[in-house]
Amino acid sequence: MASTIKNLAFFPLVFLLLCVDTNAQLSPLFYSRTCPNLQLIVRNSMRQALVKEARLGASILRLFFHDCFVNGCDASVLLDDTATFTGEKNAFPNKNSIRGFEVIDAIKSNVETACNGTVSCADILALAAKEAVFLLGGPSWSVPLGRNDARTASQSAANTNLPPPTASLATLISSFAAQGLNARDMTALSGAHTIGQARCTTFRTHIYNETNIDPNFATFRQRTCPGPASGTGDDNLAPLDIRSPNGFDNGYFQDLIARRGLFHSDQELFNGGSQDALVRLYSLNFRAFANDFVNAMIKMGNISPLTGSNGEIRKNCRVIN
């Protein structure tokens, strides 16, 4: 596994984009004086995590998405529930689903050792998501930094704002538009499903009850995801990209062309609708996908950041100060 990560880390296509058309209060150079080794610390920490379990790359990327879609990129998703506070971890789209919190904890600890009380959990999560993509073979980019951490979270917003794996194309487009992301951004960001795995309960209906799926693929997936009548198998895992589940490439879009999208919402991107041509482009041209993915990640990372005197720099990403 270690050698695989090492080889993927030197993927030749690396995009180094400085963001000039971004939130003016965020800058890739935000910690250049106060924590100059920040990005190296995050990269080394993520590399160690991926050597232990490559799936954690997808988990961290998903954490970032689930954070930004709920009141902006403010690390609210990292907050634990307390006796007086209900956070987002147990919202319906997150419960028994999002993971990787211990990775962020470890990175935060390493960063605190080097730069005490300086770097927000929100920025750590943004950087960790970028490193997850890069270390699994995808592009790199300059992450705008300077976010603060939220002092609150919203379970109701998590239940409302995060599109489910059963979403239609219209619902997906609407959900992303509500966050300032267009349909092209949505399709590019969906390409994050080129890595990671999903629980049987999230794709069971698609493989048993729907027609826009390759029947051989449906049968294959049914082997490890029993029908609902069995009462078993809910937590059995399947890769979102059957071709290369631990490599960040365009295999996901090739799967969609072959009608092998694992989620209903995945296959909706290639179902005779407005995104078919873009899916075809991405399936043939990794560079086009990578460019659009980077631009969409930067755009998503700029959703309602807390800056200046708003929010705080948490000492522990799981609790407010």
Side-chain angles (χ1 to χ4, degrees):
M1 181 67 227
S3 61
T4 300
I5 297 297
K6 181 180 178 181
N7 290 336
L8 287 170
F10 288 97
F11 189 89
L13 181 60
V14 178
F15 295 92
L16 298 174
L17 299 181
L18 287 174
C19 314
V20 294
D21 185 23
T22 184
N23 188 305
Q25 295 176 303
L26 301 183
S27 166
L29 303 178
F30 187 82
Y31 298 106
S32 60
R33 292 186 177 182
T34 57
C35 195
N37 293 324
L38 171 62
Q39 299 198 44
L40 181 61
I41 294 169
V42 176
R43 176 166 294 181
N44 288 339
S45 300
M46 278 303 304
R47 182 179 282 113
Q48 292 172 8
L50 295 180
V51 167
K52 293 179 181 178
E53 185 187 357
R55 182 188 169 204
L56 283 167
S59 300
I60 296 303
L61 186 54
R62 188 160 180 259
L63 267 184
F64 183 56
F65 170 81
H66 281 227
D67 182 42
C68 292
F69 262 55
V70 181
N71 297 332
C73 307
D74 58 5
S76 59
V77 74
L78 303 178
L79 289 169
D80 286 339
D81 290 352
T82 68
T84 58
F85 178 87
T86 302
E88 297 163 19
K89 290 183 177 179
N90 287 310
F92 182 76
N94 293 336
K95 190 174 183 179
N96 299 319
S97 177
I98 54 173
R99 60 196 295 271
F101 300 104
E102 72 285 351
V103 175
I104 301 302
D105 292 340
I107 297 174
K108 176 66 171 176
S109 177
N110 292 337
V111 170
E112 285 294 303
T113 298
C115 317
N116 182 47
T118 302
V119 182
S120 68
C121 299
D123 279 343
I124 286 173
L125 182 54
L127 286 169
K130 185 262 287 194
E131 294 301 340
V133 171
F134 174 66
L135 291 171
L136 290 176
S140 185
W141 62 95
S142 295
V143 178
L145 301 168
R147 303 167 188 82
N148 290 336
D149 299 322
R151 294 190 178 96
T152 187
S154 176
Q155 188 174 102
S156 61
N159 284 325
T160 301
N161 295 357
L162 294 166
T166 56
S168 66
L169 179 58
T171 297
L172 290 170
I173 291 173
S174 175
S175 296
F176 279 72
Q179 305 299 330
L181 300 166
N182 60 36
R184 192 180 189 96
D185 298 325
M186 180 269 295
T187 298
L189 289 170
S190 296
H193 285 179
T194 194
I195 54 175
Q197 301 185 60
R199 296 164 63 236
C200 166
T201 187
T202 62
F203 60 85
R204 179 182 277 130
T205 298
H206 183 51
I207 64 173
Y208 280 97
N209 300 333
E210 299 181 8
T211 58
N212 190 27
I213 186 171
D214 172 60
N216 293 325
F217 175 68
T219 299
F220 176 71
R221 286 273 67 99
Q222 289 168 12
R223 294 175 186 172
T224 54
C225 182
S230 70
T232 63
D234 281 3
D235 294 328
N236 292 352
L237 297 174
L240 288 160
D241 173 0
I242 196 171
R243 298 167 186 265
S244 49
N246 293 325
F248 196 96
D249 53 26
N250 60 345
Y252 165 79
F253 297 103
Q254 295 168 10
D255 286 340
L256 297 187
I257 298 292
R259 294 192 302 150
R260 294 181 176 182
L262 190 62
F263 292 153
H264 173 88
S265 56
D266 289 326
Q267 200 58 57
E268 280 287 280
L269 300 181
F270 191 78
N271 192 20
S274 63
Q275 301 306 292
D276 282 18
L278 191 56
V279 169
R280 287 193 182 95
L281 172 64
Y282 291 162
S283 74
L284 297 171
N285 189 330
F286 175 73
R287 185 181 294 270
F289 161 52
N291 271 320
D292 284 355
F293 180 81
V294 165
N295 290 334
M297 283 291 287
I298 293 170
K299 193 172 177 181
M300 183 174 72
N302 288 321
I303 298 175
S304 303
L306 298 172
T307 58
S309 60
N310 296 314
E312 64 182 14
I313 306 297
R314 282 188 223 138
K315 298 176 183 178
N316 179 336
C317 290
R318 295 174 181 260
V319 296
I320 59 175
N321 294 341

